[in-house]
């Protein structure tokens, strides 16, 4: 419902809603600073279109009216994308909260087209996905599942719904996923903990878990044991097989984080 409220009348989606500064470490009901809508962006609009199209079938049986509402909003967002070029986002000068800026929207559009095709079966979305995948810049994609790069979602949808898309597009999606999976397997062999990342960054466990997902998908596509073993190693790392001997899931296991950077927990 909140996501639906972020859509403008013409189908565009506001990039975020935020206070001007990070709020205090207090419970949500006490956080009463003025909220501001940020400008619309095409990455946000495409993410919205893809996420709602992806979600719609899950409500089909329990709440068909809501499922229809989701797909209608998704297609309205896509209609906006069809008539508007890239509209990037960066924080206005008066806003200091996390920007989550994005100056490139081909991956978001690709995810949206794949999700819309998967849910509606409409050929125009399959054609759009194929056209977007043909962009030369997609050669640099790393099949990510993060907030900035969404191509992994698009290629997974295509690989798992191959009858809806052309054979060349399905091959391109599978090849890209498997190439990246093999790169991750190679990276794990350089690590004493079979870790698939070579740099620990803010939110790096998200990357570790996303890599586990991609490796498990590769195993499902090929049956290769190496993909399965590497996927399992990423889960092992998050659950405690790491240099800290700590389960990184708060509240789980004998040794897990006690003071996470999480405002409600701190409050």
């Amino acid at each position: 419902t909140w996501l639906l409220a972020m859509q403008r009348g013409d189908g565009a989606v506001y990039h975020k809603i935020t206070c001007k500064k990070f709020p205090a470490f207090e419970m949500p009901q006490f956080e009463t600073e003025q909220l501001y809508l940020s400008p619309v962006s095409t990455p946000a609009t495409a993410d919205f279109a893809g996420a709602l199209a992806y979600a719609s079938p899950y409500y089909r049986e329990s709440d068909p009216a809501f499922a229809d509402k989701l797909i209608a909003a998704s297609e309205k967002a896509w209609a906006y994308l069809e008539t508007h070029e890239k509209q990037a986002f960066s924080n206005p000068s008066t806003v200091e909260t996390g920007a989550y800026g994005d100056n490139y929207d081909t991956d978001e559009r690709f995810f949206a087209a794949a999700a819309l095709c998967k849910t509606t079966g409409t050929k125009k979305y399959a054609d759009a996905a194929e056209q977007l995948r043909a962009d030369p810049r997609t050669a640099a994609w790393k099949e990510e599942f993060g907030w900035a790069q969404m191509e992994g979602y698009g290629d997974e949808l295509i690989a798992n719904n191959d009858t809806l898309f052309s054979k060349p597009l399905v091959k391109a999606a599978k090849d890209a996923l498997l190439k990246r999976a093999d790169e991750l397997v190679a990276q794990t062999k350089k690590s004493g903990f079979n870790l698939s990342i070579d740099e620990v960054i803010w939110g790096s466990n998200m990357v570790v878990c996303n890599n586990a997902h991609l490796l498990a998908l590769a195993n499902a596509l090929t049956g290769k044991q190496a993909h399965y073993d590497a996927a399992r190693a990423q889960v092992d790392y998050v659950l405690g097989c790491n240099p800290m001997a700590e389960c990184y899931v708060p509240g789980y296991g004998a040794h897990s984080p006690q003071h996470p950077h999480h405002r409600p927990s701190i409050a």
Side-chain angles (χ1 to χ4, degrees):
T1 301
W2 169 76
L3 278 176
L4 289 168
M6 292 294 284
Q7 187 173 41
R8 204 167 64 179
D10 60 356
V13 176
Y14 298 104
H15 194 84
K16 69 174 186 175
I17 186 169
T18 183
C19 301
K20 285 188 175 180
K21 297 183 178 182
F22 283 108
F25 289 87
E26 57 192 7
M27 293 300 284
Q29 64 268 32
F30 301 119
E31 197 284 288
T32 57
E33 292 296 317
Q34 178 68 49
L35 293 172
Y36 296 88
L37 275 174
S38 295
V40 302
S41 74
T42 50
T45 302
D47 279 339
F48 175 98
L52 269 61
Y54 193 95
S56 177
Y58 292 95
Y59 293 94
R60 179 56 55 197
E61 290 188 14
S62 62
D63 192 345
F66 188 61
D68 289 342
K69 190 174 185 178
L70 293 181
I71 199 63
S74 175
E75 294 199 289
K76 188 175 183 180
W78 181 263
Y80 180 88
L81 295 170
E82 287 183 310
T83 57
H84 290 79
E85 297 296 324
K86 179 184 71 176
Q87 293 172 289
F89 175 80
S90 59
N91 262 348
S93 60
T94 55
V95 175
E96 299 177 12
T97 57
Y100 293 93
D102 201 336
N103 295 316
Y104 174 70
D105 67 4
T106 302
D107 53 308
E108 285 87 4
R109 289 175 186 256
F110 177 65
F111 163 54
L116 277 160
C117 180
K118 187 258 183 184
T119 298
T120 68
T122 304
K123 187 177 183 297
K124 78 168 185 176
Y125 298 123
D127 292 343
E130 186 161 18
Q131 183 177 357
L132 289 160
R133 197 68 176 83
D135 186 320
R137 290 174 294 179
T138 66
W141 284 357
K142 293 292 186 181
E143 303 310 301
E144 293 183 79
F145 297 85
W147 62 264
Q149 289 299 124
M150 304 292 291
E151 64 271 8
Y153 294 104
D155 279 331
E156 180 177 11
L157 283 163
I158 291 165
N160 287 337
N161 298 274
D162 54 7
T163 60
L164 294 175
F165 302 93
S166 71
K167 289 183 179 180
L169 179 56
V170 171
K171 184 179 186 304
K174 289 183 178 181
D175 286 351
L177 290 166
L178 296 178
K179 176 185 177 184
R180 182 57 179 159
D182 288 341
E183 291 173 352
L184 294 175
V185 169
Q187 177 61 38
T188 66
K189 294 179 180 179
K190 301 176 183 179
S191 164
F193 290 92
N194 296 311
L195 187 58
S196 62
I197 60 173
D198 59 3
E199 182 182 12
V200 177
I201 59 171
W202 175 271
S204 58
N205 282 344
M206 177 197 75
V207 184
V208 174
C209 292
N210 287 343
N211 288 348
H213 177 78
L214 189 149
L215 287 159
L217 173 61
N219 171 255
L221 292 174
T222 66
K224 286 178 65 173
Q225 187 67 30
H227 293 151
Y228 175 88
D229 291 342
R232 181 168 179 167
Q234 307 319 296
V235 178
D236 289 343
Y237 173 87
V238 171
L239 293 181
C241 187
N242 55 61
M244 302 297 291
E246 181 165 353
C247 174
Y248 291 139
V249 182
Y252 186 81
H255 183 205
S256 64
Q258 298 299 302
H259 302 285
H261 183 95
H262 178 249
R263 278 174 163 73
S265 296
I266 293 170

